[in-house]
Amino acid sequence: MKYIKELSNNTLKELKFQHYSKILIILFISISLFSIWNLYSQKLTAEYNYELYLHSVDKYANTDESLKEALNSPIDVQSLEGEDSTNGEIVSNIVRYDYENVASSVNNLKMERIGSITLEWLTFVFFPFFFAIFGIYIGTYDLKYKTIKIKAVQQNFFLLLFSKQLSMYLSAIIILSSSLLVSYVTGSIFLKMLSDRIPINEFQLNIQTPDDNMFLQFLLSLSVAIIYSTLGFYLGLLFKGIIAPTILLISYNFILPVFGEYDLRNLIAVLAHKIFSFTGNFKLFEPKDVSTTLVFSLLFFIGTIFTIFIYKISEKRSKYVI
C-alpha cells in the first residue's frame, strides 16, 4: 500500500510537471496540426479527383456509349512497369475509374473513416518522432535541472523511474484521444466544405472497404506511442542527454533503411497491415513477413531485457555516479 501511494504521488507530480512545462500542450498542438494537415490534403485529393472525373465525362460525351452504361461497367486495371523502372497503369474504363477515386476520397472524410485515416497517418509517420522526443525529455529533465540527486535520495528510485514511465503512458492516452477528437471535428468541417463544391451524395463507393476496428487501431497507435516514448526515455537515461539520442532516433526513423524482418519498424508494419487498410493518401511500406506470435514475442523479450538493463544502470548511477 505504501509503494502504491508513493507511485501515485510521483506519477501525479510528473503529470503536473508535464503540464506546467508546456510539453503536453506543445505535443498536442503539434500532433493536431499534422492531423488537420492530413485531412485538408484528403479534401484537396477529393477535389482533384472530381476535376479529373469531370474531364473524363467531357471526353466521354464524344463517344457512342452512354455515361450510365460506362459507370455500370467493370474496370480492368493492369499494372505497367516501364523500361526506366517507372510504374504505371492501363485502365480500360477511365470514367468509372475516376468515379471510384472520387467516391473513395470522399468516403475517407466521412465520420466512419476519419479515425482510421488520422491514426494511420499520425501513428506511422509522426508518433515515432514526437513520442521518442517526449520520452527523451522526460528521461533527462531531472539531469538537466540537477534534481535527480534529491529525488533519488528522498524516494524509491525504482518507483521514481516507473512513475515517469507511467506518466508518459497516461499522457499518450490523453494526447491520442484529444488529437483524435480534433480530427473528427476538423474532418466534419472539411466534409461540409467539400459538399459545397462536389455533389458528394452522387458518389457512392461500389468497392467494399474493409471494416475498421477502431478499438484495435487505437490500441496499436497507443502501443506505438508507448514503444517510442519508452525507447526515447531509456536512451535519454543511457546517454544522460538530449542531443545524442535525438540524432540516433531521427537517423533511425527518417534516414536509415529498414534493416530486415526483425527491425522494429518492420515488426510494427506487420501489425499495422493486419489492422489498417491504408485507403487514404498515406501508404505504409509493405513489410517482410513475420508471424504475429513472433512479433509479440520479440517485442516483449527485447523490451524486458532493455528495461532491466536500463533500470540497473540508472540505479547505480544515481548512487555513485551522478
Side-chain angles (χ1 to χ4, degrees), residues 123-257:
T123 302
F124 307 108
V125 179
F126 298 104
F127 280 7
F129 172 74
F130 281 113
F131 281 100
I133 298 297
F134 179 50
I136 293 171
Y137 179 75
I138 298 302
T140 56
Y141 83 83
D142 269 324
L143 297 170
K144 178 182 178 182
Y145 298 118
K146 304 184 187 306
T147 52
I148 189 67
K149 282 183 178 179
I150 299 172
K151 290 185 178 180
V153 170
Q154 293 179 339
Q155 304 169 25
N156 181 304
F157 196 73
F158 170 82
L159 291 181
L160 175 63
L161 292 185
F162 188 59
S163 65
K164 285 177 177 288
Q165 282 191 255
L166 194 58
S167 69
M168 288 193 310
Y169 305 154
L170 291 174
S171 296
I173 295 174
I174 295 170
I175 291 169
L176 187 52
S177 302
S178 52
S179 301
L180 205 52
L181 182 62
V182 169
S183 74
Y184 275 110
V185 174
T186 309
S188 62
I189 294 173
F190 285 149
L191 183 63
K192 177 66 176 63
M193 293 169 65
L194 189 65
S195 67
D196 293 337
R197 300 193 58 179
I198 298 177
I200 58 175
N201 292 329
E202 292 182 9
F203 294 90
Q204 301 299 323
L205 202 59
N206 293 317
I207 301 172
Q208 186 67 33
T209 55
D211 293 332
D212 295 318
N213 189 325
M214 272 305 295
F215 175 73
L216 286 181
Q217 291 178 349
F218 184 88
L219 205 59
L220 180 60
S221 297
L222 182 61
S223 299
V224 171
I226 287 174
I227 287 172
Y228 277 94
S229 61
T230 304
L231 188 60
F233 180 70
Y234 287 169
L235 289 178
L237 290 174
L238 188 63
F239 286 96
K240 300 193 336 182
I242 294 177
I243 297 177
T246 300
I247 293 174
L248 190 64
L249 286 167
I250 289 177
S251 302
Y252 175 69
N253 283 305
F254 298 110
I255 299 176
L256 297 176

